[in-house]
Amino acid sequence: MGKRDNRVAYINPIAAARSRGPAQNAGPSIQDYLSRPRPTWEELKEQLEKKKKGSRALADFEDKMNVKWRKELAKNRERLLGGSDKDKEKDKKATDKEKEKEEKKEKKEKKKKEKKKSNRHSSSSSPSSSSSDSSSSSSSESEDEDEKKSVKKKRKRKKSSAKRASDSSDAESDGEIKKKKRFKEEGDKDKEEKSRRRKRKAERSYKDSSSESSAESEGEEAEAKKKKRSSEEKEKITDKSKKKRKKKHKKHGRKKKKKAASQSDSELD
């Protein structure tokens, strides 16, 4: 049986390319690129002017959008101006009310002054007129006192409401502080509990690992003892076998000697 011929014909690629000859260019060459048709200077100027002008469709679209924006701006301006007019009307009404109140106060003051003057003039006249004037002055004084009392009551109400608001704010602040303290205490307690749990877990894992290591060490010691026993038993067995072999060799040697002696005796005879 002969070997198979696994040889393969080797072809030098450089020699093969030379034998094929020059490669045919399928695409355009450099000369074709250099001799390509180019636009003249006038045509290039026309193209640039067209780019600057832009398209008509885009210009029309921009005009439409400008018109829409103008309409929306006009609407928004009308709304804002209408709102400002309403605000102005409200301000005018408020100013008118204040003016009316001031005019009423002035009229009351004028009436009081006139009554006082009339009382003074009438004091020199008849006692009946003096009594009427005194009654009118007393009525005016009572009105003044009523107004002062109402003003004082309003002030007291405002002060009491302010105090209540301050007390409520203080109470709320105290409640918030207490809540924050509680949250902090709870957080500290949670942290302490977590640390304790971690310590317990670490201790348990350490105990488990120590128990496992002790069990492993005991198992290794038992295996070592077993190996020693097995090695000792093997040594004993080998010693016994060696002794048996020695005994066999001795018996065989004795037999050979006997045979040799018997053969020598027979030859002599």
Short mmCIF file of all heavy atoms in Angstrom, two decimals, residues 14 16 22 31 47 50 68 97 107 129 131 143 206 246 253:
data_model
loop_
_atom_site.label_atom_id
_atom_site.label_comp_id
_atom_site.label_asym_id
_atom_site.label_seq_id
_atom_site.Cartn_x
_atom_site.Cartn_y
_atom_site.Cartn_z
N ILE A 14 2.23 36.60 -8.80
CA ILE A 14 2.82 37.70 -9.60
C ILE A 14 3.02 37.23 -11.03
O ILE A 14 2.71 37.96 -11.99
CB ILE A 14 4.15 38.14 -8.95
CG1 ILE A 14 3.85 38.76 -7.58
CG2 ILE A 14 4.87 39.16 -9.85
CD1 ILE A 14 5.06 38.90 -6.70
N ALA A 16 1.35 34.88 -12.49
CA ALA A 16 0.04 34.70 -13.12
C ALA A 16 -0.52 36.04 -13.58
O ALA A 16 -1.11 36.15 -14.67
CB ALA A 16 -0.91 34.04 -12.13
N PRO A 22 -2.23 43.50 -18.95
CA PRO A 22 -2.80 44.66 -18.24
C PRO A 22 -4.31 44.50 -18.03
O PRO A 22 -5.02 43.99 -18.88
CB PRO A 22 -2.51 45.83 -19.17
CG PRO A 22 -2.36 45.22 -20.52
CD PRO A 22 -1.79 43.85 -20.31
N GLN A 31 -8.52 60.84 -16.51
CA GLN A 31 -8.66 61.78 -17.65
C GLN A 31 -10.13 62.10 -17.93
O GLN A 31 -10.48 63.24 -18.23
CB GLN A 31 -8.01 61.16 -18.89
CG GLN A 31 -6.49 61.12 -18.80
CD GLN A 31 -5.88 60.50 -20.03
OE1 GLN A 31 -6.60 60.01 -20.91
NE2 GLN A 31 -4.55 60.49 -20.10
N GLN A 47 -27.22 80.57 -11.54
CA GLN A 47 -27.58 79.62 -10.48
C GLN A 47 -27.50 80.26 -9.09
O GLN A 47 -28.38 80.07 -8.24
CB GLN A 47 -26.65 78.41 -10.53
CG GLN A 47 -26.91 77.48 -11.72
CD GLN A 47 -25.92 76.35 -11.79
OE1 GLN A 47 -25.07 76.21 -10.92
NE2 GLN A 47 -26.01 75.54 -12.85
N LYS A 50 -30.48 82.58 -8.52
CA LYS A 50 -31.70 81.82 -8.22
C LYS A 50 -31.71 81.36 -6.77
O LYS A 50 -32.75 81.39 -6.09
CB LYS A 50 -31.78 80.61 -9.16
CG LYS A 50 -32.20 80.97 -10.56
CD LYS A 50 -32.25 79.72 -11.43
CE LYS A 50 -32.64 80.07 -12.85
NZ LYS A 50 -32.63 78.86 -13.73
N LYS A 68 -51.44 85.32 9.10
CA LYS A 68 -52.08 84.63 10.23
C LYS A 68 -51.56 85.16 11.55
O LYS A 68 -52.33 85.41 12.48
CB LYS A 68 -51.81 83.13 10.13
CG LYS A 68 -52.59 82.43 9.04
CD LYS A 68 -52.26 80.96 9.02
CE LYS A 68 -53.03 80.25 7.92
NZ LYS A 68 -52.69 78.82 7.86
N LYS A 97 -66.42 104.91 45.56
CA LYS A 97 -66.95 104.53 46.86
C LYS A 97 -66.19 105.22 47.99
O LYS A 97 -66.77 105.71 48.96
CB LYS A 97 -66.86 103.02 47.04
CG LYS A 97 -67.89 102.25 46.22
CD LYS A 97 -67.75 100.76 46.44
CE LYS A 97 -68.79 100.00 45.62
NZ LYS A 97 -68.65 98.53 45.80
N LYS A 107 -69.75 115.64 55.78
CA LYS A 107 -71.08 116.19 56.06
C LYS A 107 -71.44 116.03 57.53
O LYS A 107 -71.97 116.95 58.16
CB LYS A 107 -72.12 115.49 55.19
CG LYS A 107 -72.09 115.93 53.74
CD LYS A 107 -73.12 115.18 52.92
CE LYS A 107 -73.09 115.61 51.46
NZ LYS A 107 -74.08 114.87 50.64
N SER A 129 -84.67 126.68 74.85
CA SER A 129 -83.75 126.47 73.71
C SER A 129 -82.48 125.77 74.19
O SER A 129 -81.90 124.93 73.50
CB SER A 129 -83.42 127.81 73.05
OG SER A 129 -82.76 128.66 73.99
N SER A 131 -82.23 123.67 76.64
CA SER A 131 -82.54 122.22 76.85
C SER A 131 -82.53 121.46 75.54
O SER A 131 -82.02 120.34 75.44
CB SER A 131 -83.88 122.07 77.55
OG SER A 131 -84.91 122.58 76.72
N GLU A 143 -73.56 109.51 69.75
CA GLU A 143 -73.19 108.94 68.45
C GLU A 143 -71.67 108.79 68.34
O GLU A 143 -71.14 107.79 67.85
CB GLU A 143 -73.71 109.83 67.32
CG GLU A 143 -75.23 109.73 67.14
CD GLU A 143 -75.73 110.70 66.07
OE1 GLU A 143 -74.88 111.45 65.54
OE2 GLU A 143 -76.94 110.69 65.79
N TYR A 206 -20.60 33.09 62.09
CA TYR A 206 -19.28 32.70 62.61
C TYR A 206 -19.36 31.36 63.33
O TYR A 206 -18.49 30.49 63.17
CB TYR A 206 -18.78 33.79 63.56
CG TYR A 206 -17.43 33.49 64.16
CD1 TYR A 206 -16.27 33.55 63.38
CD2 TYR A 206 -17.32 33.15 65.51
CE1 TYR A 206 -15.05 33.28 63.95
CE2 TYR A 206 -16.09 32.87 66.07
CZ TYR A 206 -14.95 32.94 65.29
OH TYR A 206 -13.73 32.66 65.84
N LYS A 246 9.54 -16.50 50.72
CA LYS A 246 10.85 -16.97 51.15
C LYS A 246 10.82 -18.46 51.49
O LYS A 246 11.73 -19.23 51.14
CB LYS A 246 11.29 -16.17 52.37
CG LYS A 246 11.79 -14.77 52.00
CD LYS A 246 12.22 -14.01 53.27
CE LYS A 246 12.67 -12.61 52.90
NZ LYS A 246 13.07 -11.84 54.11
N GLY A 253 14.67 -24.85 46.76
CA GLY A 253 16.15 -25.02 46.73
C GLY A 253 16.57 -26.35 47.30
O GLY A 253 17.48 -27.02 46.78
#
